[in-house]
PDB file of all heavy atoms in Angstrom:
ATOM      1  N   ASP B   1     123.404 181.300 130.646  1.00  0.00           N
ATOM      2  CA  ASP B   1     124.088 180.375 131.559  1.00  0.00           C
ATOM      3  C   ASP B   1     124.702 181.123 132.739  1.00  0.00           C
ATOM      4  O   ASP B   1     124.574 180.695 133.897  1.00  0.00           O
ATOM      5  CB  ASP B   1     125.168 179.597 130.806  1.00  0.00           C
ATOM      6  CG  ASP B   1     124.589 178.586 129.831  1.00  0.00           C
ATOM      7  OD1 ASP B   1     123.426 178.177 130.028  1.00  0.00           O
ATOM      8  OD2 ASP B   1     125.292 178.216 128.874  1.00  0.00           O
ATOM      9  N   ILE B   2     125.377 182.230 132.467  1.00  0.00           N
ATOM     10  CA  ILE B   2     125.993 183.003 133.554  1.00  0.00           C
ATOM     11  C   ILE B   2     124.916 183.577 134.473  1.00  0.00           C
ATOM     12  O   ILE B   2     125.061 183.574 135.705  1.00  0.00           O
ATOM     13  CB  ILE B   2     126.875 184.127 132.981  1.00  0.00           C
ATOM     14  CG1 ILE B   2     128.085 183.534 132.255  1.00  0.00           C
ATOM     15  CG2 ILE B   2     127.322 185.085 134.086  1.00  0.00           C
ATOM     16  CD1 ILE B   2     128.973 184.557 131.586  1.00  0.00           C
ATOM     17  N   LEU B   3     123.833 184.050 133.883  1.00  0.00           N
ATOM     18  CA  LEU B   3     122.741 184.608 134.671  1.00  0.00           C
ATOM     19  C   LEU B   3     122.157 183.557 135.610  1.00  0.00           C
ATOM     20  O   LEU B   3     121.944 183.808 136.805  1.00  0.00           O
ATOM     21  CB  LEU B   3     121.662 185.134 133.722  1.00  0.00           C
ATOM     22  CG  LEU B   3     120.571 186.032 134.301  1.00  0.00           C
ATOM     23  CD1 LEU B   3     121.149 187.257 134.968  1.00  0.00           C
ATOM     24  CD2 LEU B   3     119.611 186.444 133.196  1.00  0.00           C
ATOM     25  N   LEU B   4     121.919 182.367 135.095  1.00  0.00           N
ATOM     26  CA  LEU B   4     121.344 181.298 135.916  1.00  0.00           C
ATOM     27  C   LEU B   4     122.337 180.783 136.951  1.00  0.00           C
ATOM     28  O   LEU B   4     121.959 180.448 138.079  1.00  0.00           O
ATOM     29  CB  LEU B   4     120.870 180.163 135.019  1.00  0.00           C
ATOM     30  CG  LEU B   4     119.616 180.490 134.194  1.00  0.00           C
ATOM     31  CD1 LEU B   4     119.431 179.487 133.067  1.00  0.00           C
ATOM     32  CD2 LEU B   4     118.380 180.519 135.079  1.00  0.00           C
ATOM     33  N   GLU B   5     123.608 180.726 136.583  1.00  0.00           N
ATOM     34  CA  GLU B   5     124.631 180.314 137.547  1.00  0.00           C
ATOM     35  C   GLU B   5     124.711 181.307 138.703  1.00  0.00           C
ATOM     36  O   GLU B   5     124.910 180.915 139.864  1.00  0.00           O
ATOM     37  CB  GLU B   5     125.994 180.207 136.853  1.00  0.00           C
ATOM     38  CG  GLU B   5     126.129 178.996 135.940  1.00  0.00           C
ATOM     39  CD  GLU B   5     127.402 179.049 135.110  1.00  0.00           C
ATOM     40  OE1 GLU B   5     128.227 179.963 135.339  1.00  0.00           O
ATOM     41  OE2 GLU B   5     127.576 178.189 134.225  1.00  0.00           O
ATOM     42  N   THR B   6     124.562 182.585 138.387  1.00  0.00           N
ATOM     43  CA  THR B   6     124.586 183.613 139.427  1.00  0.00           C
ATOM     44  C   THR B   6     123.393 183.461 140.367  1.00  0.00           C
ATOM     45  O   THR B   6     123.536 183.524 141.595  1.00  0.00           O
ATOM     46  CB  THR B   6     124.574 185.024 138.794  1.00  0.00           C
ATOM     47  OG1 THR B   6     125.704 185.158 137.933  1.00  0.00           O
ATOM     48  CG2 THR B   6     124.625 186.107 139.861  1.00  0.00           C
ATOM     49  N   LEU B   7     122.207 183.236 139.800  1.00  0.00           N
ATOM     50  CA  LEU B   7     121.026 183.030 140.635  1.00  0.00           C
ATOM     51  C   LEU B   7     121.154 181.762 141.481  1.00  0.00           C
ATOM     52  O   LEU B   7     120.737 181.733 142.644  1.00  0.00           O
ATOM     53  CB  LEU B   7     119.782 182.932 139.750  1.00  0.00           C
ATOM     54  CG  LEU B   7     119.246 184.230 139.148  1.00  0.00           C
ATOM     55  CD1 LEU B   7     118.075 183.935 138.213  1.00  0.00           C
ATOM     56  CD2 LEU B   7     118.826 185.216 140.215  1.00  0.00           C
ATOM     57  N   ALA B   8     121.745 180.711 140.899  1.00  0.00           N
ATOM     58  CA  ALA B   8     121.846 179.427 141.593  1.00  0.00           C
ATOM     59  C   ALA B   8     122.740 179.500 142.827  1.00  0.00           C
ATOM     60  O   ALA B   8     122.616 178.672 143.735  1.00  0.00           O
ATOM     61  CB  ALA B   8     122.369 178.355 140.634  1.00  0.00           C
ATOM     62  N   LYS B   9     123.627 180.484 142.888  1.00  0.00           N
ATOM     63  CA  LYS B   9     124.471 180.634 144.082  1.00  0.00           C
ATOM     64  C   LYS B   9     123.648 181.019 145.306  1.00  0.00           C
ATOM     65  O   LYS B   9     124.022 180.698 146.431  1.00  0.00           O
ATOM     66  CB  LYS B   9     125.539 181.696 143.822  1.00  0.00           C
ATOM     67  CG  LYS B   9     126.583 181.290 142.789  1.00  0.00           C
ATOM     68  CD  LYS B   9     127.571 182.423 142.538  1.00  0.00           C
ATOM     69  CE  LYS B   9     128.593 182.028 141.482  1.00  0.00           C
ATOM     70  NZ  LYS B   9     129.539 183.130 141.176  1.00  0.00           N
ATOM     71  N   SER B  10     122.539 181.718 145.067  1.00  0.00           N
ATOM     72  CA  SER B  10     121.713 182.183 146.178  1.00  0.00           C
ATOM     73  C   SER B  10     120.369 181.467 146.278  1.00  0.00           C
ATOM     74  O   SER B  10     119.752 181.480 147.341  1.00  0.00           O
ATOM     75  CB  SER B  10     121.447 183.696 146.035  1.00  0.00           C
ATOM     76  OG  SER B  10     122.651 184.435 146.052  1.00  0.00           O
ATOM     77  N   ILE B  11     119.929 180.856 145.184  1.00  0.00           N
ATOM     78  CA  ILE B  11     118.624 180.197 145.172  1.00  0.00           C
ATOM     79  C   ILE B  11     118.824 178.708 144.945  1.00  0.00           C
ATOM     80  O   ILE B  11     119.203 178.283 143.848  1.00  0.00           O
ATOM     81  CB  ILE B  11     117.721 180.795 144.077  1.00  0.00           C
ATOM     82  CG1 ILE B  11     117.517 182.288 144.345  1.00  0.00           C
ATOM     83  CG2 ILE B  11     116.374 180.071 144.031  1.00  0.00           C
ATOM     84  CD1 ILE B  11     116.762 183.004 143.269  1.00  0.00           C
ATOM     85  N   HIS B  12     118.577 177.922 145.970  1.00  0.00           N
ATOM     86  CA  HIS B  12     118.800 176.486 145.903  1.00  0.00           C
ATOM     87  C   HIS B  12     117.466 175.776 145.673  1.00  0.00           C
ATOM     88  O   HIS B  12     116.910 175.128 146.564  1.00  0.00           O
ATOM     89  CB  HIS B  12     119.462 175.995 147.198  1.00  0.00           C
ATOM     90  CG  HIS B  12     120.792 176.641 147.472  1.00  0.00           C
ATOM     91  ND1 HIS B  12     121.488 176.482 148.654  1.00  0.00           N
ATOM     92  CD2 HIS B  12     121.562 177.464 146.692  1.00  0.00           C
ATOM     93  CE1 HIS B  12     122.624 177.171 148.603  1.00  0.00           C
ATOM     94  NE2 HIS B  12     122.685 177.769 147.420  1.00  0.00           N
ATOM     95  N   ASP B  13     116.951 175.944 144.479  1.00  0.00           N
ATOM     96  CA  ASP B  13     115.657 175.366 144.129  1.00  0.00           C
ATOM     97  C   ASP B  13     115.643 175.108 142.629  1.00  0.00           C
ATOM     98  O   ASP B  13     115.493 176.028 141.832  1.00  0.00           O
ATOM     99  CB  ASP B  13     114.529 176.323 144.532  1.00  0.00           C
ATOM    100  CG  ASP B  13     113.145 175.715 144.352  1.00  0.00           C
ATOM    101  OD1 ASP B  13     112.967 174.893 143.438  1.00  0.00           O
ATOM    102  OD2 ASP B  13     112.235 176.069 145.121  1.00  0.00           O
ATOM    103  N   GLY B  14     115.808 173.843 142.252  1.00  0.00           N
ATOM    104  CA  GLY B  14     115.915 173.484 140.842  1.00  0.00           C
ATOM    105  C   GLY B  14     114.663 173.816 140.040  1.00  0.00           C
ATOM    106  O   GLY B  14     114.748 174.251 138.896  1.00  0.00           O
ATOM    107  N   ARG B  15     113.488 173.602 140.618  1.00  0.00           N
ATOM    108  CA  ARG B  15     112.251 173.885 139.887  1.00  0.00           C
ATOM    109  C   ARG B  15     112.117 175.372 139.582  1.00  0.00           C
ATOM    110  O   ARG B  15     111.695 175.757 138.488  1.00  0.00           O
ATOM    111  CB  ARG B  15     111.037 173.411 140.694  1.00  0.00           C
ATOM    112  CG  ARG B  15     110.891 171.905 140.777  1.00  0.00           C
ATOM    113  CD  ARG B  15     109.510 171.517 141.263  1.00  0.00           C
ATOM    114  NE  ARG B  15     109.246 172.018 142.619  1.00  0.00           N
ATOM    115  CZ  ARG B  15     108.066 171.934 143.217  1.00  0.00           C
ATOM    116  NH1 ARG B  15     107.031 171.382 142.586  1.00  0.00           N
ATOM    117  NH2 ARG B  15     107.898 172.375 144.452  1.00  0.00           N
ATOM    118  N   PHE B  16     112.475 176.195 140.541  1.00  0.00           N
ATOM    119  CA  PHE B  16     112.386 177.637 140.334  1.00  0.00           C
ATOM    120  C   PHE B  16     113.351 178.083 139.240  1.00  0.00           C
ATOM    121  O   PHE B  16     113.003 178.875 138.364  1.00  0.00           O
ATOM    122  CB  PHE B  16     112.697 178.367 141.647  1.00  0.00           C
ATOM    123  CG  PHE B  16     112.512 179.851 141.581  1.00  0.00           C
ATOM    124  CD1 PHE B  16     111.262 180.421 141.728  1.00  0.00           C
ATOM    125  CD2 PHE B  16     113.595 180.689 141.369  1.00  0.00           C
ATOM    126  CE1 PHE B  16     111.084 181.797 141.664  1.00  0.00           C
ATOM    127  CE2 PHE B  16     113.436 182.058 141.305  1.00  0.00           C
ATOM    128  CZ  PHE B  16     112.176 182.619 141.455  1.00  0.00           C
ATOM    129  N   LEU B  17     114.563 177.563 139.265  1.00  0.00           N
ATOM    130  CA  LEU B  17     115.556 177.936 138.258  1.00  0.00           C
ATOM    131  C   LEU B  17     115.155 177.440 136.869  1.00  0.00           C
ATOM    132  O   LEU B  17     115.411 178.118 135.868  1.00  0.00           O
ATOM    133  CB  LEU B  17     116.931 177.395 138.658  1.00  0.00           C
ATOM    134  CG  LEU B  17     117.535 178.003 139.932  1.00  0.00           C
ATOM    135  CD1 LEU B  17     118.827 177.282 140.302  1.00  0.00           C
ATOM    136  CD2 LEU B  17     117.793 179.496 139.767  1.00  0.00           C
ATOM    137  N   ARG B  18     114.523 176.278 136.789  1.00  0.00           N
ATOM    138  CA  ARG B  18     114.048 175.786 135.488  1.00  0.00           C
ATOM    139  C   ARG B  18     112.960 176.702 134.940  1.00  0.00           C
ATOM    140  O   ARG B  18     112.882 176.936 133.725  1.00  0.00           O
ATOM    141  CB  ARG B  18     113.519 174.353 135.610  1.00  0.00           C
ATOM    142  CG  ARG B  18     114.599 173.294 135.730  1.00  0.00           C
ATOM    143  CD  ARG B  18     114.061 171.902 135.443  1.00  0.00           C
ATOM    144  NE  ARG B  18     113.050 171.499 136.408  1.00  0.00           N
ATOM    145  CZ  ARG B  18     113.323 170.915 137.579  1.00  0.00           C
ATOM    146  NH1 ARG B  18     114.587 170.685 137.925  1.00  0.00           N
ATOM    147  NH2 ARG B  18     112.348 170.549 138.391  1.00  0.00           N
ATOM    148  N   LEU B  19     112.138 177.230 135.823  1.00  0.00           N
ATOM    149  CA  LEU B  19     111.098 178.162 135.385  1.00  0.00           C
ATOM    150  C   LEU B  19     111.723 179.437 134.812  1.00  0.00           C
ATOM    151  O   LEU B  19     111.271 179.951 133.780  1.00  0.00           O
ATOM    152  CB  LEU B  19     110.185 178.514 136.569  1.00  0.00           C
ATOM    153  CG  LEU B  19     108.972 179.389 136.250  1.00  0.00           C
ATOM    154  CD1 LEU B  19     107.991 178.651 135.345  1.00  0.00           C
ATOM    155  CD2 LEU B  19     108.294 179.848 137.536  1.00  0.00           C
ATOM    156  N   ILE B  20     112.765 179.947 135.458  1.00  0.00           N
ATOM    157  CA  ILE B  20     113.464 181.133 134.959  1.00  0.00           C
ATOM    158  C   ILE B  20     114.130 180.835 133.619  1.00  0.00           C
ATOM    159  O   ILE B  20     114.099 181.650 132.693  1.00  0.00           O
ATOM    160  CB  ILE B  20     114.511 181.620 135.972  1.00  0.00           C
ATOM    161  CG1 ILE B  20     113.835 182.050 137.282  1.00  0.00           C
ATOM    162  CG2 ILE B  20     115.317 182.778 135.393  1.00  0.00           C
ATOM    163  CD1 ILE B  20     112.919 183.231 137.160  1.00  0.00           C
ATOM    164  N   ARG B  21     114.731 179.648 133.504  1.00  0.00           N
ATOM    165  CA  ARG B  21     115.357 179.272 132.227  1.00  0.00           C
ATOM    166  C   ARG B  21     114.307 179.231 131.113  1.00  0.00           C
ATOM    167  O   ARG B  21     114.558 179.687 129.998  1.00  0.00           O
ATOM    168  CB  ARG B  21     116.057 177.916 132.345  1.00  0.00           C
ATOM    169  CG  ARG B  21     116.693 177.441 131.036  1.00  0.00           C
ATOM    170  CD  ARG B  21     117.417 176.120 131.197  1.00  0.00           C
ATOM    171  NE  ARG B  21     118.648 176.274 131.951  1.00  0.00           N
ATOM    172  CZ  ARG B  21     119.792 176.688 131.434  1.00  0.00           C
ATOM    173  NH1 ARG B  21     119.878 176.994 130.140  1.00  0.00           N
ATOM    174  NH2 ARG B  21     120.859 176.779 132.192  1.00  0.00           N
ATOM    175  N   GLY B  22     113.140 178.699 131.419  1.00  0.00           N
ATOM    176  CA  GLY B  22     112.082 178.653 130.428  1.00  0.00           C
ATOM    177  C   GLY B  22     111.668 180.039 129.974  1.00  0.00           C
ATOM    178  O   GLY B  22     111.378 180.261 128.794  1.00  0.00           O
ATOM    179  N   LEU B  23     111.658 180.991 130.899  1.00  0.00           N
ATOM    180  CA  LEU B  23     111.333 182.375 130.550  1.00  0.00           C
ATOM    181  C   LEU B  23     112.370 182.952 129.595  1.00  0.00           C
ATOM    182  O   LEU B  23     112.027 183.595 128.594  1.00  0.00           O
ATOM    183  CB  LEU B  23     111.273 183.213 131.827  1.00  0.00           C
ATOM    184  CG  LEU B  23     111.166 184.734 131.666  1.00  0.00           C
ATOM    185  CD1 LEU B  23     109.889 185.114 130.927  1.00  0.00           C
ATOM    186  CD2 LEU B  23     111.217 185.415 133.033  1.00  0.00           C
ATOM    187  N   LEU B  24     113.641 182.720 129.880  1.00  0.00           N
ATOM    188  CA  LEU B  24     114.715 183.252 129.045  1.00  0.00           C
ATOM    189  C   LEU B  24     114.711 182.628 127.644  1.00  0.00           C
ATOM    190  O   LEU B  24     115.110 183.271 126.667  1.00  0.00           O
ATOM    191  CB  LEU B  24     116.067 183.013 129.718  1.00  0.00           C
ATOM    192  CG  LEU B  24     116.319 183.771 131.028  1.00  0.00           C
ATOM    193  CD1 LEU B  24     117.581 183.257 131.701  1.00  0.00           C
ATOM    194  CD2 LEU B  24     116.426 185.270 130.778  1.00  0.00           C
ATOM    195  N   LYS B  25     114.270 181.392 127.561  1.00  0.00           N
ATOM    196  CA  LYS B  25     114.325 180.649 126.293  1.00  0.00           C
ATOM    197  C   LYS B  25     113.003 180.686 125.515  1.00  0.00           C
ATOM    198  O   LYS B  25     112.878 180.031 124.478  1.00  0.00           O
ATOM    199  CB  LYS B  25     114.701 179.180 126.563  1.00  0.00           C
ATOM    200  CG  LYS B  25     116.062 178.982 127.224  1.00  0.00           C
ATOM    201  CD  LYS B  25     117.199 179.382 126.309  1.00  0.00           C
ATOM    202  CE  LYS B  25     118.551 179.030 126.922  1.00  0.00           C
ATOM    203  NZ  LYS B  25     119.679 179.481 126.054  1.00  0.00           N
ATOM    204  N   ALA B  26     112.030 181.453 125.991  1.00  0.00           N
ATOM    205  CA  ALA B  26     110.697 181.408 125.378  1.00  0.00           C
ATOM    206  C   ALA B  26     110.665 181.954 123.959  1.00  0.00           C
ATOM    207  O   ALA B  26     109.783 181.617 123.174  1.00  0.00           O
ATOM    208  CB  ALA B  26     109.702 182.175 126.246  1.00  0.00           C
ATOM    209  N   GLY B  27     111.609 182.824 123.619  1.00  0.00           N
ATOM    210  CA  GLY B  27     111.642 183.373 122.267  1.00  0.00           C
ATOM    211  C   GLY B  27     110.715 184.558 122.099  1.00  0.00           C
ATOM    212  O   GLY B  27     110.103 185.051 123.046  1.00  0.00           O
TER     213      GLY B  27
END
């Protein structure tokens, strides 16, 4: 959550951030 919140401050693109979240949660 902190990692994505940090990226979201500079990257204003929901689809891109969802892709990064999927990478982190892939297991």
